[in-house]
Amino acid sequence: MTTSEFLSIMESGNVIPAGSPIHVKMHELSQEAIRITMEINNSYHTHEEIVALMSELTGTEVHESFGLFPPFYSDCGKNIRIGKRVFINSGCKFQDQGGITIGDDVLIGHNCVIATINHAMEPDKRADMTAAPVKICDKVWIGANVTILQGVTIGEGAVIAAGAVVNKDVPARTVAGGIPAKVLKQL
């Protein structure tokens, strides 16, 4: 199975059965992501080297305006799309098999988790998974220790307060916070 075939299947929203060829490909891509993130996290790199390593991780050209403070973790990498002038602070963890799209001028705080896959609720099928993308629109600011769950879109210019757990879409130009996150005010 090719990476592009894998990505197409992940976009379908279908259940990924445990032990299936798609599940095997998921683990193969995870091993590559571990190798690249270990390189990012375990020695100093110049800005240019970070951009090159993130481009290798995502399989796409990451713009030179991208900024990252390691460590950074991803268990796939190939389903992350990053806009221009994006900054990701240290300790972030991206579970991107279902797809993570980050718009332009986005700031992501320390220790954020973005999770795009989930396990089946039925105990006998618990190792089966579903995927749904996360979209972070332009000019979003995500505070420290935020968790964003699968299928969420964060609207343009929104702010997510530190420590929030975002399980539903957040409208543009709002501040959302809490567990689960709720709109606190308009901007």
Side-chain angles (χ1 to χ4, degrees), residues 39-177:
E39 173 67 23
I40 290 169
N41 297 336
N42 289 310
S43 63
Y44 173 78
H45 296 285
T46 65
H47 170 77
E48 293 78 16
E49 290 168 335
I50 289 287
V51 170
L53 285 163
M54 286 299 288
S55 295
E56 180 183 0
L57 177 67
T58 63
T60 61
E61 186 176 337
V62 173
H63 193 266
E64 65 183 13
S65 61
F66 173 75
L68 171 73
F69 286 174
F72 174 79
Y73 304 94
S74 169
D75 56 4
C76 180
K78 297 299 185 246
N79 215 357
I80 302 171
R81 299 297 169 259
I82 301 171
K84 296 176 182 172
R85 298 170 304 279
V86 169
F87 176 71
I88 300 173
N89 220 322
S90 63
C92 291
K93 298 166 185 76
F94 288 10
Q95 182 192 49
D96 64 286
Q97 288 90 338
I100 298 172
T101 302
I102 302 170
D104 296 338
D105 303 302
V106 171
L107 304 174
I108 300 177
H110 290 88
N111 301 317
C112 287
V113 173
I114 302 176
T116 66
I117 58 174
N118 206 353
H119 289 278
M121 293 304 287
E122 185 179 329
D124 291 340
K125 296 189 179 204
R126 186 65 40 87
D128 292 355
M129 292 174 273
T130 58
V134 167
K135 181 177 182 187
I136 301 168
C137 295
D138 295 346
K139 300 177 182 166
V140 167
W141 175 22
I142 299 170
N145 297 303
V146 168
T147 299
I148 302 170
L149 300 178
Q150 69 175 161
V152 166
T153 296
I154 300 176
E156 184 174 347
V159 176
I160 308 300
V165 176
V166 185
N167 64 352
K168 292 188 169 111
D169 291 354
V170 175
R173 300 190 59 80
T174 60
V175 176

